[in-house]
Amino acid sequence: MLVTFISECEKKALSRTRRVLDAFANRIGNNTWQTPITEEGLNAVKRLLQKTASKNTAVSCHQLKSRIRTELLWVVGRREKFNNEGIVAVNYTEADKFIGEINMGEIYANTKKQSLDQHLFAVGVVAKELMKTFCTDENLQKAALSAGFWHDIGKLEVQFQNWINRELEKKNLITELPENGVHIEKGPFSWEKYPTHNEVSTLIYELLADDSSLGKIEKKAVKHTIYWHHAKPIRKDDITSLNQVLEKLKDNDLKKLLIQSKEVMESVGNLMGRYFDKNQIKTKSVSDYEDEIDGVKLPEYKTYETSGKLESYKRNIKKNAKENLIRITVITADRMVSSLSCEDLQNYIDNRKLESFAKDSLTQEQELNQHIKVCLEGFEVKYPNSDRNKQQTQAAEELANEEIDIAVLKGPAGCGKTKIALEWALKTSAKQIIWVCPRVAICQSLFNDLSSKEYLPNATIEIHTGEFKYTNKNPDPSENEYFSGDIVLTTIDQIISGITTHRNISNLARFMNATVVFDEFHEYIPMNGFNILFAELIECKKLQQNDETLPSALLVSATPNYYFVKEFLDIAPEDIVGIESFNEKFYEIEFIDYDEIAKDETNALYQKVDKNTFVISNTAITAQKSFINSQADETSILTHSKFTLKDRESIFSSVFDSFSENGTHK
């Protein structure tokens, strides 16, 4: 069995107990030991502890039953040092359940009956743990902790507490919380008259929080996250300042609300002190703050100056990237914690398992690397000692250099970009690949390639776009299976929606936890808006890097724009790795001027061509007329984005079967 010993001994009993426990178990904390042990061995430990026990002895022994559940076996010494489960109380006991006039056990964060202080504390801890995976900057990790601690403090507001208590009195209470959080949504209540709890939280944070350990940028990012961790309600008269928030707090006495908020944050600090042995929450003294919020605006979601200066855009990209990361960690942590029952939440806090809870949510099965190894071995068997394999391996090794933050592959058609990207992912120990494409057709083409016998037939290849959602193993996955494949092929808009909306924020969290390939990234450069948000995504992945980490993002293009890469994305030219094409086939592109009105062979769209020729028109009507004119003489297909999903899938498959490598050429 696996057991944990917890010592709350004092004075001389502390050293005597440590000698006994050190002989049998591994010390994993100042007062905690853990070890696998037989029942006979455990009885021996208990006898030795009883033999040396005094009035200052207090040791509890627990058997680990599951990841979050333990069972008390026995206590030697002072039983009152522990709660009923033999655990040192990390939550409040009856003695400190009341802070000021507030009963912490009766102030709720949601309809799961999670107490507000426990909810705030847990979200902060989980958000910081998530941020450790998403970012190596310790200041941003501290900012995520602070934003989590304060994000829902506005739920102390009278209207919210009255509403949630009425909801809790209902017999058929729905315990599955909505994705956008718990808000007052029914009855005579109107957002035209009242503020949202996140608006109130922003006001309270501005007036009470003393985040002196954070820098100016991080403080602004914390306030941004508190305000934007829920979507903004639609109002006839928009709220843009803290004064307007205060004006809508009709049923609240500001000073009383601040005093109560201070008491709740004191309780959060007490939880922190017991959980981490330190309390880092500081608040300002309560006084009349109304003058302090004059002219203070609510945070803008995104800020970009229209000066046209490159440095201005880059400065805002860096700021927004940091705000993106703090926001996704807090929203993700909020949803994770809110999914727990109040009993499970208390167990996670009591057992100091919140960090494990966060890490478990990010764990990926590590079978992808084995699938890639088998794939690469197959290429080596098929083309033994070939220059092509050697050059592709060399390119992958150069891209996986730990001195590179963002890797860039310049590879023309026929160089084996897909194989190089897979080998790079293997060398960087990828657990999951999110393959981002500019267009659905590229996703479909890659899906067919990667699912083939030559590549990764036994891996789970997933396609996730606005219209297509399936895997090579499941044609109709459930929503909770989205973005879970070994390789997820998706479009840029699906990732960017994690920045621009609240609904798809989980996509952005998965993006940060995965190894990412941006295919044909040069197509984003002329796309207004997308180019800036793409740069934010790259900046987010940069924040994951330090001197010891391998790159987790790869940009792939046959024609990378060097100015965009160097000057806008701040990627050094020497980090761009090039490889020549191995395709020796001859092809020719010819641009022809023609009269669109003509309907004979003087119009290029009406000329007869051989079967290996593509004729491309930039107008749909011309293409349609050409198809009608030539359909009797050619094996041609007409397609359009307005066709039904089923028809477009069928047409794509026909074209792919015909023109792919070893295709039918029909």
Side-chain angles (χ1 to χ4, degrees):
M1 71 181 81
L2 185 63
V3 297
T4 300
F5 302 100
I6 300 173
S7 170
E8 282 296 297
C9 298
E10 298 174 350
K11 299 181 180 179
K12 292 181 180 180
L14 183 61
S15 58
R16 286 198 297 268
T17 300
R18 282 179 174 174
R19 282 196 294 270
V20 173
L21 295 178
D22 283 341
F24 286 88
N26 301 313
R27 195 184 300 191
I28 60 174
N30 287 336
N31 299 308
T32 312
W33 289 256
Q34 194 172 80
T35 187
I37 196 169
T38 63
E39 188 173 351
E40 183 180 357
L42 188 60
N43 290 334
V45 174
K46 186 177 181 181
R47 286 195 298 271
L48 285 171
L49 289 172
Q50 289 172 330
K51 186 176 180 179
T52 60
S54 68
K55 65 179 181 180
N56 293 316
T57 300
V59 178
S60 63
C61 176
H62 308 260
Q63 182 180 356
L64 274 68
K65 293 290 189 179
S66 69
R67 288 185 304 171
I68 68 167
R69 192 171 69 85
T70 61
E71 179 183 310
L72 174 64
L73 297 180
W74 42 257
V75 173
V76 171
R78 298 175 63 185
R79 187 67 178 76
E80 67 273 14
K81 281 285 188 178
F82 307 96
N83 65 13
N84 292 334
E85 296 177 345
I87 295 169
V88 182
V90 176
N91 288 310
Y92 35 72
T93 60
E94 289 300 318
D96 61 3
K97 191 173 183 179
F98 283 85
I99 295 182
E101 298 180 357
I102 294 182
N103 183 345
M104 294 299 160
E106 294 180 358
I107 301 294
Y108 300 117
N110 50 47
T111 51
K112 292 286 190 74
K113 276 196 167 183
Q114 293 181 355
S115 64
L116 182 57
D117 56 342
Q118 289 182 8
H119 177 80
L120 295 174
F121 173 72
V123 170
V125 174
V126 172
K128 181 181 180 182
E129 195 62 34
L130 293 174
M131 185 63 90
K132 288 180 181 178
T133 297
F134 297 163
C135 175
T136 57
D137 187 332
E138 290 187 2
N139 286 328
L140 289 187
Q141 293 169 16
K142 290 178 183 177
L145 180 73
S146 179
F149 282 170
W150 290 90
H151 79 287
D152 272 353
I153 189 65
K155 288 184 175 180
L156 265 174
E157 191 265 330
V158 169
Q159 286 287 337
F160 184 89
Q161 285 301 315
N162 289 344
W163 172 78
I164 202 167
N165 279 290
R166 288 195 299 270
E167 290 293 300
L168 290 170
E169 290 172 1
K170 295 179 180 178
K171 293 181 179 179
N172 299 320
L173 185 65
I174 299 173
T175 56
E176 286 298 320
L177 303 185
E179 197 171 54
N180 195 38
V182 177
H183 303 270
I184 308 171
E185 294 177 347
K186 296 180 180 179
F189 186 88
S190 167
W191 295 128
E192 298 294 341
K193 299 178 181 178
Y194 297 96
T196 63
H197 72 257
N198 45 303
E199 289 169 341
V200 180
S201 296
T202 309
L203 173 66
I204 294 171
Y205 176 80
E206 178 74 22
L207 296 177
L208 268 191
D210 179 11
D211 270 344
S212 54
S213 64
L214 296 178
K216 185 177 179 181
I217 292 175
E218 287 75 25
K219 286 181 184 177
K220 287 184 176 180
V222 169
K223 189 160 70 170
H224 178 276
T225 295
I226 293 170
Y227 179 60
W228 286 105
H229 82 276
H230 289 302
K232 192 173 184 177
I234 298 173
R235 295 183 173 105
K236 293 177 183 177
D237 298 316
D238 197 13
I239 290 181
T240 59
S241 70
L242 290 179
N243 271 327
Q244 290 173 292
V245 176
L246 180 58
E247 287 171 9
K248 290 187 181 293
L249 279 172
K250 301 174 181 178
D251 300 323
N252 294 265
D253 177 281
L254 177 60
K255 189 167 185 178
K256 182 178 179 182
L257 179 61
L258 291 175
I259 291 171
Q260 290 177 334
S261 300
K262 189 177 178 71
E263 290 168 354
V264 170
M265 295 312 297
E266 182 182 343
S267 182
V268 174
N270 290 342
L271 288 169
M272 189 180 186
R274 296 188 186 97
Y275 195 97
F276 293 114
D277 297 326
K278 58 183 177 181
N279 182 352
Q280 294 178 331
I281 299 177
K282 297 179 181 179
T283 56
K284 302 172 186 175
S285 59
V286 175
S287 60
D288 185 0
Y289 287 114
E290 294 187 32
D291 292 339
E292 293 190 22
I293 61 173
D294 278 346
V296 178
K297 298 291 184 181
L298 289 166
E300 295 286 346
Y301 186 61
K302 294 283 179 191
T303 303
Y304 280 103
E305 300 169 11
T306 56
S307 64
K309 293 181 180 179
L310 191 62
E311 288 305 316
S312 173
Y313 281 108
K314 289 166 64 175
R315 185 169 56 252
N316 286 321
I317 285 167
K318 293 180 186 297
K319 176 183 79 72
N320 290 335
K322 291 180 178 180
E323 290 176 351
N324 290 340
L325 287 183
I326 299 174
R327 176 173 160 269
I328 65 171
T329 54
V330 170
I331 293 176
T332 302
D334 192 11
R335 292 177 181 177
M336 289 172 59
V337 171
S338 296
S339 70
L340 300 172
S341 67
C342 60
E343 293 82 9
D344 284 343
L345 174 58
Q346 184 162 330
N347 282 334
Y348 274 113
I349 296 174
D350 282 346
N351 292 301
R352 293 178 171 89
K353 294 289 186 181
L354 288 170
E355 293 90 344
S356 299
F357 177 53
K359 289 175 183 175
D360 289 346
S361 73
L362 300 173
T363 301
Q364 291 280 345
E365 294 183 7
Q366 299 186 25
E367 295 181 0
L368 176 59
N369 286 343
Q370 186 58 37
H371 293 311
I372 296 176
K373 284 180 183 178
V374 172
C375 167
L376 297 176
E377 288 168 0
F379 277 104
E380 191 58 43
V381 170
K382 190 174 182 179
Y383 309 105
N385 298 316
S386 69
D387 288 340
R388 176 173 180 154
N389 281 342
K390 290 177 182 177
Q391 289 181 46
Q392 289 169 339
T393 297
Q394 182 180 349
E397 288 175 349
E398 291 177 19
L399 292 166
N401 191 324
E402 64 182 16
E403 295 183 3
I404 293 177
D405 287 338
I406 304 294
V408 182
L409 172 62
K410 177 190 176 185
C415 74
K417 293 193 292 289
T418 302
K419 177 173 177 283
I420 294 170
L422 289 175
E423 192 162 357
W424 165 81
L426 176 64
K427 293 181 182 297
T428 56
S429 302
K431 298 174 183 177
Q432 182 191 38
I433 300 174
I434 293 181
W435 210 300
V436 186
C437 307
R439 287 173 282 113
V440 174
I442 297 175
C443 292
Q444 291 175 296
S445 178
L446 280 166
F447 181 85
N448 285 309
D449 284 345
L450 293 170
S451 302
S452 68
K453 292 181 180 179
E454 192 174 31
Y455 279 94
L456 308 169
N458 296 318
T460 300
I461 312 299
E462 177 183 353
I463 188 166
H464 185 106
T465 68
E467 51 196 345
F468 300 118
K469 294 176 178 65
Y470 55 83
T471 76
N472 57 336
K473 297 180 180 180
N474 186 352
D476 187 25
S478 61
E479 192 169 340
N480 61 9
E481 294 176 293
Y482 291 168
F483 271 81
S484 62
D486 294 314
I487 297 181
V488 180
L489 302 163
T490 189
T491 48
I492 185 69
D493 59 292
Q494 296 295 313
I495 303 300
I496 284 178
S497 65
I499 296 177
T500 58
T501 72
H502 284 71
R503 176 172 174 74
N504 294 326
I505 192 77
S506 56
N507 290 358
L508 196 55
R510 294 181 181 110
F511 168 89
M512 290 304 301
N513 193 42
T515 297
V516 180
V517 177
F518 285 98
D519 215 337
E520 308 295 356
F521 76 94
H522 62 274
E523 293 194 21
Y524 308 133
I525 298 172
M527 297 168 65
N528 292 335
F530 273 81
N531 45 19
I532 291 176
L533 295 174
F534 168 66
E536 286 187 20
L537 292 174
I538 297 303
E539 189 64 31
C540 286
K541 295 303 280 186
K542 281 185 185 180
L543 289 167
Q544 263 184 326
Q545 303 302 123
N546 60 29
D547 293 338
E548 299 177 356
T549 56
L550 297 174
S552 63
L554 172 65
L555 312 185
V556 179
S557 172
T559 56
N561 184 307
Y562 281 80
Y563 183 85
F564 181 81
V565 171
K566 179 184 176 183
E567 302 298 336
F568 197 62
L569 300 182
D570 273 338
I571 298 174
E574 54 267 28
D575 291 346
I576 301 176
V577 176
I579 186 170
E580 298 298 321
S581 175
F582 299 100
N583 186 350
E584 298 177 352
K585 299 291 177 67
F586 176 79
Y587 60 90
E588 180 180 348
I589 298 175
E590 187 176 358
F591 296 91
I592 300 175
D593 291 325
Y594 60 91
D595 183 0
E596 289 188 8
I597 299 176
K599 296 182 180 180
D600 54 31
E601 289 202 356
T602 60
N603 184 328
L605 275 297
Y606 288 84
Q607 295 173 4
K608 290 184 179 180
V609 296
D610 65 66
K611 65 179 183 180
N612 288 324
T613 299
F614 285 90
V615 181
I616 302 171
S617 166
N618 65 346
T619 60
I621 292 176
T622 305
Q624 289 167 346
K625 289 179 178 179
S626 171
F627 173 80
I628 293 170
N629 180 73
S630 307
Q631 61 181 325
D633 303 317
E634 296 178 356
T635 306
S636 54
I637 294 177
L638 187 69
T639 186
H640 193 280
S641 62
K642 299 298 183 183
F643 284 6
T644 65
L645 179 62
K646 187 176 181 181
D647 285 344
R648 280 184 285 127
E649 278 187 300
S650 175
I651 290 169
F652 178 85
S653 297
S654 298
V655 174
F656 189 85
D657 290 343
S658 179
F659 292 99
S660 62
E661 186 178 5
N662 302 318
T664 60
H665 300 289
K666 290 182 179 179

